[in-house]
Amino acid sequence: MTDSIRATQGYFSQFGGAFVPEVLQRTFDELNLAFETARNDPEFWRSYVQLMGTYSCRPTPITYAENLSRHFGGAQIYIKREDLNHTGAHKANNVMGQGLLVKRMGKRRVIAETGAGQHGVATATMAAKFGFECTIYMGEVDVARQRPNVFWMERLGAKVVPVREGSRTLKDAINEAFRDWVSNMDDTHYVLGTACGPHPFPEMVTYFQSIIGQEARRQIVEIAGKLPDRVYACVGGGSNAMGLFSGFLSDKEVELVGVEAGGKGVTTHEHAARIASKHGSIGVAQGYKTYFLQNQDGQMNETHSVAAGLDYVGISPILAHLHHTGRVRFEAATDAEVVEALKLVVRKEGLIPALESSHAFARAFVEAPNMPVTSSILINQSGRGDKDIFTVADALHDPDWVEFIKKKAEAYRA
Amino acid sequence: MTDSIRATQGYFSQFGGAFVPEVLQRTFDELNLAFETARNDPEFWRSYVQLMGTYSCRPTPITYAENLSRHFGGAQIYIKREDLNHTGAHKANNVMGQGLLVKRMGKRRVIAETGAGQHGVATATMAAKFGFECTIYMGEVDVARQRPNVFWMERLGAKVVPVREGSRTLKDAINEAFRDWVSNMDDTHYVLGTACGPHPFPEMVTYFQSIIGQEARRQIVEIAGKLPDRVYACVGGGSNAMGLFSGFLSDKEVELVGVEAGGKGVTTHEHAARIASKHGSIGVAQGYKTYFLQNQDGQMNETHSVAAGLDYVGISPILAHLHHTGRVRFEAATDAEVVEALKLVVRKEGLIPALESSHAFARAFVEAPNMPVTSSILINQSGRGDKDIFTVADALHDPDWVEFIKKKAEAYRA
Amino acid sequence: MLETIIRAKLAERAPLLMTHIVIGYPDFDTSLALIDAMVESGVDLIELQIPFSEPIADGPVILHANQVALEKGSTVDRCFEFAEHVSRKYAVPFLFMTYYNILFRQGVRSFVERARKAGLKGMIVPDLPPEEASEYEAAMAEVGLDPVYIFAPTTSPERMQKLAAHAKGFVYCVARKGVTGSSTDFSDELSSYLARARAATKLPLAVGFGVKRKQDVDFLQAHAEIAVVGSETLRVLEQEGIARVGPFLRGLRA
Amino acid sequence: MLETIIRAKLAERAPLLMTHIVIGYPDFDTSLALIDAMVESGVDLIELQIPFSEPIADGPVILHANQVALEKGSTVDRCFEFAEHVSRKYAVPFLFMTYYNILFRQGVRSFVERARKAGLKGMIVPDLPPEEASEYEAAMAEVGLDPVYIFAPTTSPERMQKLAAHAKGFVYCVARKGVTGSSTDFSDELSSYLARARAATKLPLAVGFGVKRKQDVDFLQAHAEIAVVGSETLRVLEQEGIARVGPFLRGLRA
Ligand SMILES: Cc1ncc(COP(=O)(O)O)c(C=O)c1O
Ligand SMILES: Cc1ncc(COP(=O)(O)O)c(C=O)c1O
């Protein structure tokens, strides 16, 4: 991966750090050592690429969106297809990588938090493949809106624990995972799902996800003949964004755009835009320092997004840093814009982006029309939308779907 | 593709032919010509491979199933990952290929039948990408059991027509598609979804699906260092089987095993085993001659399978031929065996095969334990099981799922 | 000999009228009553369709009739009994109309043999082009039954020539694309198509698909020898009752 | 100066007892009543936890208390008022316990300043290791408050040395892995860990996490200066009522 993404004493300028209870200090020392050793061993990255090439279908392709490009009449639109990963999202990259690390560390159990359920499914999948025991913490709210993923996690042999504390979403699942970890760190590794949390997680997750950017840079130059003018990625914790951006960080002419969850609008308080709204401020929680959606006392606010995977109070300290340096521009897309973008992508290209990924599309669609046809943009389709069928069906008020569910329920009652 | 798979006057020994109404004769002449011309143009296959490499993620990998191999202690098990295709199944290969052909023929509308819904989604996806109008015929029974696919087809802009005639499954959808075609052949192409139907469909679909076998032979030799002893594929109409088998046809030492839907058992009449049961006999229907499940009068029987995609009365004439020559061995797997196999694959390897594909696994699991550890087998995971969540959840009687559906329904009622 | 019979009838009136039933729909008694009404109405030829579970060339009306007939137990044996009964009872020539699998399963040779014994004069098999028909044609020739072939608007002159060479009795011209039962506009397009057909064969031409009204029949007078009324009879039966079938048929040539 | 106070008290009795409340849980009145009961029961030190929405080091009981307190409006300002009120009212030394973000948002310097003005003696910040604490330590030293640090069973002797170098007042030894509120077995393992702790620092040792019964306190007498009772007090309050809290606390050293 590009060495530009290395923390100095766990920090990216003022962001990051490792604010962890004393009981976990040794675990983090071990993790830092294991990660460093692995990273310095070229064989490790090779084995990672090899695993992703045989178990998932890396390199994932870049698809030229001919119809969308024509539709908007502006920039040529290219899409990085992380949705084609095994388990349907970029989450697989990070999880499989950490799986290899867990094997090296000789631990036998993994735990993880999950929002959309994508990271939970990916972790449960990795655990099944590597033969690890697995417990997934998932906010009760998310368990409800992402049931299909819960169903598969259980089939995969994972124990799914609904978290009933706090706002019962991603951040609370993370807290619960930490509580499990401080009790079981000896045989357990916490597979954090995004580029957040205490050092070395932001850097480590970015390291594994950087496979996206490495492939994408090579591919786009090959296909489009030049670097893209802008690169778009949705930003929950920041892992798919960092993964793709990392491939273009040193290409100053490429503008990097991170799209946060605008929810019901960044002027309301029902969103998850930590940087793209006026409501975010620097704080320290869940073990690291970054922008959070919090009140003056430092209590975390509830967040909202139609996309469970973006519904999170914090953001990668690396992205907070890149925001300060001005390297990454942050925007927000509202739930409504996102659903419209998703419908358009499905209809025009036959692709079904996850609601999370649709945020990147929504913003790109605002900007592309105003760019010359000679310019090009790259959008990260971080995952596929199949998992969102319940949410999307509701958002579109599909009557047949409603009928179908009612019939199903009656059949079950009978 | 291997030239061994070419019909002589539309026939493979006594199987195949083109029993089509006079009104379609000209359309078939045109189709034969277009296909022949395309096949003889090396540029065509290149453009096909290129499309599948950028829009889907071909070549799809072969995954070594280390845990399953250990679990059974017999043959080394390798899996061809067609589930990683865009839209989640091998159906994409055939559909995208025919899409390129439709463009060549200058038609503007496509129609298709669908059973599991996979072919319907694939066709609707292709239509969205190529900008064709699209109508999908789907048996009413299948519309009910594969609702999620119907939902996405509609989002993709396709008109989904539930077929209420006959047994209201795949074969009736095919009849309806033909009825549409005989009225609209001038601007419409019928994208048949499997290696059945009148010549040249069996040969044409096999031609496009042969990309599976071409990749697989190269990959397995590379990974395992030698050819597999046996190759397994589930058989509905026969396209994924022919696609994979075609790569090994001339390797006489490789045994090819086609697995049909055993339903509630081949001794009952609730199955879809045209060759692996005693109930099949040669006949002519839906425009071609092959083994059908029919009564003494020649009326088609109702079939049954937990997998909608295998629930079909006919079988590829090419497979009927390969059955007669003894090149392919046919077996059946029951619904119960299939659900067990699916659970095991999910738990052991973190892979979720479609119920259709699970038939191939189920049979392989019967045979693998009795093979030496030095031997190896290749199983075609023709698609992913996400689409089957309703069926699988029912088969496993998952109480949480039932609760979830009931809650959803109540919410809708409110 | 179908052709001879047709030519003889044509000496008296033109165009001739061919009607159609699905054996056993809505039940055998009604099928019988339909035949009675047709004969009484002076119909010249009658198609007896043996139901098939996959009638791809038929539209909703006849498709439905096929299914009901099968549910009502219209087996191939009972269809033969029925055919034999009516052909004994009436002088009007009867033809079998069915799909190839029905013949194939019985064994083409023995099916054709039985058909001749049952007194039929010819057969129409819409999913059996001459390319696939050698066994069928041989058997038909041997027992002296006429294989009727079909022209479509999409059929090229060359192919018409070829089909004509295989056809006996008459040629069945489907008036338009599509399946049975939907409507046709009887236009110049149709006339020029029928002119091509006429040029391709000396055999009498029967025109079917969408013949509904007297005007349709009148229009055909100039272009063909036989007007074929199929689905419309079923429609009258279903919507107006058996009693109206006779009057409807008589009205077509009144 | 916390250490001096502790040493003085130790001259009278050992081990000392440190208790804990979450300010504003279940409400401010009860919080006050709890303090009264604790003081009446002769408790030697009291932790006042300012609630935080993400208390990762706390278990279910205190986690719940944090949330309820926040819902009940336990803002940082009201927590300061409360702390000032009780530290004026009682001689017993009070410490703040909270997570770093609470300090960080107020501005570490001004938070510490306010704490001193409110009469607190020290602070425990479980998610603030010395590596991240330079600003905090500077401010604490400047205003003369003691930063209490934590030892865990997983802490190496070397790290204990390091922590000890940063710690003032006393060292808080968490008795086991895990979060607050689950039970601990007071075993040899614990003694040897406390022996390591003892060897690493001259500061008094406080032992918390899972201290529930008199036996636990008795066990600790030999190994530490201060027994810390946290969640158990809340359990008694919730299950037996405020009236039983005093008796429970007195029973621990009776
Ligand atoms: C498909 C998809 N995209 C994006 C995200 C957001 O996470 P991150 O910002 O770490 O990529 C998620 C999280 O679950 C996801 O499932
Ligand atoms: C995943 C999958 N596998 C297999 C089949 C069976 O079709 P075929 O035998 O043509 O491969 C289907 C049909 O829908 C399918 O969806």
Side-chain angles (χ1 to χ4, degrees):
Chain A
M1 61 175 282
T2 52
D3 288 59
S4 53
I5 307 175
R6 296 233 178 174
T8 40
Q9 268 121 51
Y11 276 86
F12 297 88
S13 65
Q14 64 179 297
F15 304 100
F19 298 80
V20 294
E22 179 57 32
V23 63
L24 278 177
Q25 290 294 343
R26 194 182 66 195
T27 308
F28 272 87
D29 293 344
E30 291 164 358
L31 182 58
N32 274 295
L33 182 64
F35 173 50
E36 265 319 308
T37 324
R39 176 158 60 180
N40 296 329
D41 170 1
E43 194 31 59
F44 182 71
W45 182 260
R46 252 196 307 273
S47 66
Y48 169 61
V49 172
Q50 148 83 9
L51 175 64
M52 297 312 289
T54 54
Y55 189 62
S56 187
C57 67
R58 307 215 66 93
T60 58
I62 279 183
T63 303
Y64 170 52
E66 187 179 356
N67 302 331
L68 285 170
S69 303
R70 204 182 312 106
H71 178 75
F72 289 110
Q76 302 309 302
I77 302 172
Y78 295 87
I79 301 168
K80 177 61 169 170
R81 300 292 305 284
E82 289 305 296
D83 60 302
L84 290 172
N85 265 302
H86 179 51
T87 73
H90 71 291
K91 298 282 174 186
N93 306 328
N94 168 41
V95 162
M96 290 299 153
Q98 288 198 46
L100 290 172
L101 206 58
V102 173
K103 250 170 87 179
R104 279 186 162 229
M105 293 189 290
K107 297 191 171 186
R108 43 163 292 281
R109 177 173 177 261
V110 290
I111 58 177
E113 85 291 349
T114 195
Q118 288 308 103
H119 177 57
V121 169
T123 304
T125 298
M126 176 273 276
K129 170 139 182 86
F130 284 100
F132 301 141
E133 214 179 281
C134 179
T135 301
I136 303 294
Y137 293 93
M138 187 169 190
E140 201 175 36
V141 173
D142 295 330
V143 169
R145 56 181 165 180
Q146 302 286 347
R147 186 79 222 173
N149 277 336
V150 175
F151 176 81
W152 291 120
M153 283 184 256
E154 290 174 344
R155 296 287 85 67
L156 286 157
K159 182 151 167 285
V160 179
V161 181
V163 177
R164 303 198 162 77
E165 312 298 345
S167 56
R168 296 170 296 131
T169 59
L170 190 53
K171 76 170 176 58
D172 310 282
I174 293 176
N175 293 337
E176 275 313 298
F178 269 114
R179 293 193 183 95
D180 179 319
W181 208 19
V182 296
S183 318
N184 307 300
M185 69 285 260
D186 293 345
D187 66 347
T188 299
H189 173 68
Y190 175 16
V191 183
L192 222 158
T194 186
C196 291
H199 179 75
F201 280 110
E203 190 173 329
M204 183 170 75
V205 174
T206 297
Y207 165 78
F208 288 123
Q209 292 292 5
S210 69
I211 194 170
I212 303 173
Q214 281 188 19
E215 292 174 0
R217 193 185 188 285
R218 187 170 32 74
Q219 292 167 320
I220 192 75
V221 169
E222 190 179 301
I223 299 169
K226 59 184 169 70
L227 287 168
D229 296 270
R230 295 179 195 169
V231 173
Y232 297 84
C234 68
V235 180
S239 69
N240 87 86
M242 280 312 306
L244 183 57
F245 292 171
S246 62
F248 301 92
L249 267 187
S250 36
D251 302 310
K252 295 283 170 278
E253 66 273 39
V254 178
E255 186 180 21
L256 307 175
V257 184
V259 187
E260 295 180 286
K264 306 202 170 150
V266 291
T267 55
T268 73
H269 277 270
E270 296 186 60
H271 63 74
R274 297 124 314 181
I275 292 183
S277 80
K278 299 207 170 2
H279 306 128
S281 55
I282 299 174
V284 175
Q286 307 203 306
Y288 67 109
K289 184 189 287 186
T290 190
Y291 281 89
F292 287 99
L293 288 167
Q294 58 182 332
N295 66 17
Q296 326 86 304
D297 274 3
Q299 311 296 356
M300 297 300 133
N301 294 334
E302 296 227 342
T303 55
H304 163 82
S305 172
V306 67
L310 303 187
D311 202 348
Y312 178 55
V313 289
I315 185 170
S316 176
I318 310 182
L319 284 169
H321 162 67
L322 294 172
H323 163 59
H324 268 222
T325 63
R327 183 66 187 92
V328 175
R329 169 161 62 94
F330 284 85
E331 304 287 351
T334 64
D335 292 352
E337 293 169 322
V338 163
V339 171
E340 280 316 303
L342 181 132
K343 281 161 68 181
L344 190 70
V345 177
V346 174
R347 189 70 189 76
K348 289 283 176 190
E349 297 293 343
L351 304 178
I352 304 179
L355 280 164
E356 289 80 6
S357 324
S358 299
H359 283 70
F361 284 92
R363 182 60 201 182
F365 294 167
V366 170
E367 303 184 2
N370 310 322
M371 298 173 70
V373 293
T374 52
S375 66
S376 61
I377 63 177
L378 175 62
I379 303 170
N380 201 14
Q381 182 166 338
S382 54
R384 60 172 139 94
D386 311 36
K387 69 170 177 66
D388 294 317
I389 186 161
F390 285 92
T391 320
V392 176
D394 291 355
L396 305 182
H397 312 293
D398 181 63
D400 295 351
W401 178 258
V402 171
E403 260 324 294
F404 165 66
I405 295 298
K406 286 181 181 170
K407 281 218 188 66
K408 258 313 212 189
E410 271 145 35
Y412 287 142
R413 272 195 201 73
Chain B
M1 59 175 280
T2 50
D3 288 58
S4 53
I5 306 175
R6 295 234 179 171
T8 39
Q9 268 122 49
Y11 276 87
F12 297 88
S13 64
Q14 63 178 297
F15 303 101
F19 297 81
V20 295
E22 179 57 32
V23 63
L24 278 177
Q25 290 295 343
R26 195 182 66 195
T27 309
F28 272 87
D29 293 344
E30 292 163 358
L31 182 59
N32 274 296
L33 182 63
F35 173 51
E36 265 319 307
T37 324
R39 177 158 61 179
N40 296 330
D41 170 1
E43 193 33 58
F44 182 71
W45 183 260
R46 254 198 305 277
S47 67
Y48 169 62
V49 172
Q50 146 84 10
L51 175 64
M52 296 313 288
T54 54
Y55 188 62
S56 188
C57 68
R58 306 215 66 95
T60 57
I62 279 183
T63 303
Y64 171 52
E66 187 179 356
N67 303 331
L68 283 170
S69 303
R70 205 183 309 104
H71 177 75
F72 289 110
Q76 301 309 304
I77 301 172
Y78 294 87
I79 301 168
K80 178 61 169 170
R81 301 291 306 284
E82 288 306 296
D83 60 302
L84 290 172
N85 265 302
H86 178 51
T87 74
H90 71 293
K91 298 283 175 185
N93 306 328
N94 168 42
V95 161
M96 290 299 153
Q98 289 198 45
L100 290 172
L101 206 58
V102 173
K103 250 171 86 179
R104 279 185 162 229
M105 294 189 290
K107 298 191 170 186
R108 44 163 290 281
R109 177 173 177 261
V110 290
I111 57 176
E113 85 292 348
T114 195
Q118 288 307 103
H119 177 58
V121 169
T123 305
T125 298
M126 177 272 277
K129 168 135 184 93
F130 284 101
F132 301 140
E133 217 180 280
C134 179
T135 300
I136 302 295
Y137 293 94
M138 188 170 188
E140 202 176 37
V141 173
D142 295 331
V143 169
R145 57 182 166 179
Q146 302 285 349
R147 188 78 222 174
N149 278 336
V150 174
F151 176 82
W152 292 119
M153 284 185 253
E154 289 174 345
R155 297 287 83 67
L156 287 157
K159 182 150 165 287
V160 179
V161 180
V163 177
R164 304 200 164 76
E165 312 299 344
S167 56
R168 295 170 296 131
T169 59
L170 189 52
K171 76 171 176 60
D172 310 282
I174 292 176
N175 292 338
E176 275 312 299
F178 269 112
R179 293 194 182 94
D180 179 318
W181 208 17
V182 295
S183 318
N184 307 300
M185 70 285 259
D186 293 347
D187 67 347
T188 299
H189 173 67
Y190 175 16
V191 183
L192 220 157
T194 188
C196 290
H199 179 74
F201 280 110
E203 190 173 330
M204 184 170 75
V205 173
T206 298
Y207 166 78
F208 289 123
Q209 293 292 4
S210 69
I211 194 170
I212 303 173
Q214 282 188 19
E215 291 174 2
R217 191 183 189 286
R218 185 169 33 72
Q219 292 167 318
I220 192 74
V221 169
E222 190 179 305
I223 299 169
K226 59 182 170 67
L227 286 168
D229 296 270
R230 296 179 195 169
V231 173
Y232 297 83
C234 67
V235 180
S239 68
N240 88 87
M242 280 312 305
L244 183 58
F245 292 172
S246 61
F248 301 92
L249 267 186
S250 36
D251 302 309
K252 296 282 170 280
E253 66 273 38
V254 178
E255 186 180 20
L256 307 175
V257 185
V259 187
E260 296 180 284
K264 306 204 170 146
V266 291
T267 54
T268 72
H269 276 269
E270 297 185 58
H271 63 73
R274 296 123 316 180
I275 293 183
S277 81
K278 300 211 169 355
H279 305 131
S281 55
I282 298 174
V284 176
Q286 308 204 306
Y288 68 110
K289 185 190 286 184
T290 191
Y291 281 89
F292 287 100
L293 288 168
Q294 58 184 332
N295 66 19
Q296 325 87 302
D297 274 3
Q299 310 296 356
M300 297 298 134
N301 295 333
E302 297 226 343
T303 55
H304 163 82
S305 172
V306 67
L310 303 187
D311 202 347
Y312 178 54
V313 289
I315 185 169
S316 176
I318 312 182
L319 284 169
H321 163 65
L322 295 172
H323 162 60
H324 268 221
T325 64
R327 183 68 188 91
V328 175
R329 168 162 61 94
F330 284 85
E331 304 286 352
T334 65
D335 292 352
E337 293 170 321
V338 163
V339 171
E340 281 315 303
L342 178 122
K343 282 161 68 180
L344 190 69
V345 176
V346 173
R347 191 69 191 75
K348 290 282 174 189
E349 298 293 343
L351 304 178
I352 304 179
L355 280 165
E356 288 80 6
S357 324
S358 299
H359 283 70
F361 285 91
R363 182 61 201 182
F365 294 168
V366 171
E367 302 183 3
N370 311 322
M371 298 173 69
V373 294
T374 53
S375 64
S376 61
I377 63 177
L378 176 62
I379 303 170
N380 201 14
Q381 183 166 338
S382 53
R384 59 173 141 93
D386 311 39
K387 68 169 177 67
D388 294 318
I389 186 161
F390 286 91
T391 319
V392 176
D394 292 354
L396 306 183
H397 312 293
D398 181 64
D400 296 350
W401 177 258
V402 170
E403 259 325 293
F404 165 66
I405 294 298
K406 286 181 181 170
K407 281 218 190 68
K408 253 330 214 181
E410 271 144 34
Y412 287 142
R413 271 194 200 74
Chain C
M1 318 71 31
L2 248 180
E3 182 174 4
T4 338
I5 300 168
I6 291 166
R7 298 272 176 225
K9 285 172 174 281
L10 282 168
E12 289 150 35
R13 73 196 305 190
L16 302 184
L17 195 59
M18 179 162 80
T19 53
H20 162 279
I21 72 158
V22 174
I23 305 175
Y25 175 80
D27 52 58
F28 279 84
D29 294 347
T30 314
S31 293
L32 217 42
L34 275 168
I35 301 290
D36 295 339
M38 289 169 174
V39 175
E40 279 163 24
S41 314
V43 163
D44 305 287
L45 297 131
I46 300 178
E47 283 181 78
L48 303 176
Q49 179 164 359
I50 302 174
F52 181 47
S53 56
E54 322 299 318
I56 52 173
D58 286 298
V61 176
I62 294 179
L63 167 61
H64 175 72
N66 273 262
Q67 279 168 22
V68 173
L70 287 172
E71 287 155 15
K72 292 289 180 64
S74 181
T75 61
V76 172
D77 287 351
R78 288 193 67 185
C79 289
F80 270 111
E81 285 163 26
F82 183 91
E84 184 158 11
H85 173 79
V86 292
S87 58
R88 283 257 161 68
K89 185 169 174 195
Y90 297 113
V92 51
F94 290 94
L95 297 88
F96 264 152
M97 185 279 189
T98 193
Y99 290 82
Y100 185 56
N101 200 45
I102 300 299
L103 284 71
F104 183 81
R105 275 294 275 172
Q106 301 279 318
V108 174
R109 180 73 178 73
S110 75
F111 184 95
V112 167
E113 180 57 41
R114 270 179 90 182
R116 190 194 51 73
K117 286 213 190 76
L120 289 117
K121 300 278 179 292
M123 242 182 270
I124 305 172
V125 188
D127 65 344
L128 191 67
E131 291 81 359
E132 305 284 358
S134 48
E135 184 186 6
Y136 163 75
E137 287 181 8
M140 293 288 278
E142 200 175 326
V143 305
L145 288 189
D146 291 341
V148 174
Y149 277 102
I150 296 170
F151 284 1
T154 54
T155 311
S156 68
E158 303 65 37
R159 185 167 173 85
M160 282 183 177
Q161 302 277 1
K162 172 180 183 175
L163 291 166
H166 289 263
K168 290 220 188 70
F170 63 92
V171 169
Y172 190 124
C173 304
V174 303
R176 51 162 173 71
K177 296 166 188 164
V179 290
T180 54
S182 27
S183 54
T184 302
D185 64 342
F186 290 81
S187 60
D188 304 356
E189 201 188 318
L190 178 58
S191 342
S192 63
Y193 152 50
L194 292 177
R196 286 202 307 282
R198 173 71 69 209
T201 177
K202 307 236 154 321
L203 287 171
L205 298 181
V207 179
F209 283 37
V211 179
K212 287 199 173 74
R213 304 174 274 105
K214 184 167 187 317
Q215 297 95 295
D216 305 342
V217 178
D218 295 345
F219 173 97
L220 290 178
Q221 185 150 24
H223 308 82
E225 285 69 28
I226 307 167
V228 184
V229 183
S231 310
E232 190 62 9
T233 319
L234 284 186
R235 207 195 48 68
V236 171
L237 171 72
E238 286 162 6
Q239 293 175 16
E240 305 171 28
I242 180 79
R244 300 289 310 135
V245 172
F248 160 72
L249 291 173
R250 284 191 289 280
L252 291 170
R253 289 190 300 185
Chain D
M1 319 71 36
L2 249 179
E3 183 175 2
T4 339
I5 302 170
I6 290 167
R7 299 271 176 225
K9 285 172 173 281
L10 282 168
E12 289 149 33
R13 74 195 306 192
L16 302 184
L17 197 59
M18 178 161 84
T19 54
H20 162 278
I21 72 158
V22 175
I23 305 175
Y25 176 81
D27 53 59
F28 279 85
D29 294 348
T30 314
S31 293
L32 215 44
L34 275 168
I35 300 290
D36 294 341
M38 289 169 174
V39 176
E40 279 163 21
S41 314
V43 163
D44 306 288
L45 298 130
I46 301 177
E47 283 181 79
L48 303 175
Q49 177 163 2
I50 302 176
F52 180 47
S53 56
E54 322 299 317
I56 52 172
D58 286 299
V61 176
I62 294 179
L63 166 61
H64 175 73
N66 274 261
Q67 279 167 24
V68 173
L70 288 172
E71 286 155 18
K72 290 289 180 62
S74 180
T75 61
V76 173
D77 287 352
R78 290 192 67 186
C79 289
F80 270 112
E81 287 164 24
F82 182 91
E84 182 155 16
H85 173 79
V86 293
S87 59
R88 283 258 163 67
K89 185 167 171 197
Y90 297 113
V92 51
F94 290 94
L95 298 88
F96 264 155
M97 185 281 190
T98 193
Y99 291 82
Y100 184 56
N101 201 45
I102 300 299
L103 286 71
F104 183 81
R105 276 295 274 171
Q106 301 280 318
V108 174
R109 180 71 177 74
S110 75
F111 184 96
V112 167
E113 180 58 39
R114 271 180 89 180
R116 191 195 51 73
K117 286 216 191 74
L120 289 115
K121 301 278 180 291
M123 243 181 269
I124 306 173
V125 188
D127 65 344
L128 191 67
E131 291 81 359
E132 304 285 358
S134 48
E135 183 186 8
Y136 163 76
E137 287 181 8
M140 293 288 278
E142 202 174 324
V143 306
L145 288 191
D146 292 342
V148 173
Y149 277 103
I150 295 171
F151 284 2
T154 54
T155 311
S156 68
E158 303 65 38
R159 185 166 174 86
M160 283 183 176
Q161 302 277 1
K162 173 180 183 176
L163 290 167
H166 289 262
K168 291 220 188 70
F170 61 93
V171 169
Y172 191 124
C173 303
V174 303
R176 50 160 176 73
K177 296 166 189 165
V179 291
T180 53
S182 28
S183 54
T184 301
D185 65 340
F186 291 82
S187 60
D188 303 357
E189 200 189 318
L190 178 56
S191 341
S192 63
Y193 152 50
L194 291 178
R196 286 202 306 283
R198 173 71 72 212
T201 177
K202 307 236 151 331
L203 288 171
L205 299 181
V207 179
F209 282 37
V211 179
K212 286 197 172 79
R213 306 176 270 98
K214 184 167 188 313
Q215 299 94 295
D216 305 343
V217 178
D218 294 346
F219 173 96
L220 291 177
Q221 184 150 25
H223 309 83
E225 285 70 27
I226 308 168
V228 186
V229 183
S231 311
E232 190 63 9
T233 320
L234 285 184
R235 207 195 49 67
V236 171
L237 171 73
E238 287 161 6
Q239 293 174 17
E240 305 172 26
I242 179 80
R244 301 287 311 134
V245 171
F248 160 72
L249 292 173
R250 284 190 290 281
L252 289 170
R253 290 190 300 185

